[in-house]
Amino acid sequence: MSHPSHNDQLKSINRIEGQVRGIAKMIEEEKYCIDILNQIKATRSAMSAVEGKILEKHLRACVKDTLGSEKNFDAKIEELLKTLKR
């Protein structure tokens, strides 16, 4: 089974990386707590959006490919549930 490409998420990941560096700088510069928290929430929201897009692609590609085999399908569901419980 081939895995789908997630290269379309790299732009978002790079933006998130910049947000995290910005948060570190805010902490170093002792910025106002609420401003730091707002940036943390924005970063978390951005990560959640990327996670959702990767999950959707996983369901549409990887899980869909296993629908013909009950054994493989059950394994994919268990794998997904284990990941989501983290």
Side-chain angles (χ1 to χ4, degrees), residues 24-79:
K25 185 176 179 183
M26 291 175 78
I27 291 170
E28 289 168 355
E29 294 174 355
E30 299 181 357
K31 298 291 184 181
Y32 183 54
C33 303
I34 295 299
D35 293 338
I36 296 169
L37 290 170
N38 284 333
Q39 287 305 309
I40 291 170
K41 292 213 37 97
T43 303
R44 186 180 300 142
S45 177
M47 282 297 292
S48 182
V50 169
E51 177 185 27
K53 290 173 185 173
I54 291 174
L55 173 60
E56 179 180 357
K57 193 174 280 189
H58 176 68
L59 292 172
R60 292 185 185 278
C62 302
V63 174
K64 184 179 178 181
D65 286 348
T66 65
L67 290 177
S69 168
E70 186 174 326
K71 179 182 175 186
N72 290 338
F73 180 76
D74 288 342
K76 283 290 181 192
I77 295 300
E78 287 302 316
E79 175 186 60

Side-chain angles (χ1 to χ4, degrees), residues 1-26:
M1 177 178 89
S2 66
H3 297 284
S5 172
H6 299 288
N7 287 336
D8 55 335
Q9 296 306 311
L10 288 175
K11 185 176 179 181
S12 295
I13 292 295
N14 290 333
R15 188 178 320 110
I16 292 164
E17 181 182 20
Q19 286 177 298
V20 171
R21 282 194 306 270
I23 292 167
K25 185 176 179 183
M26 291 175 78

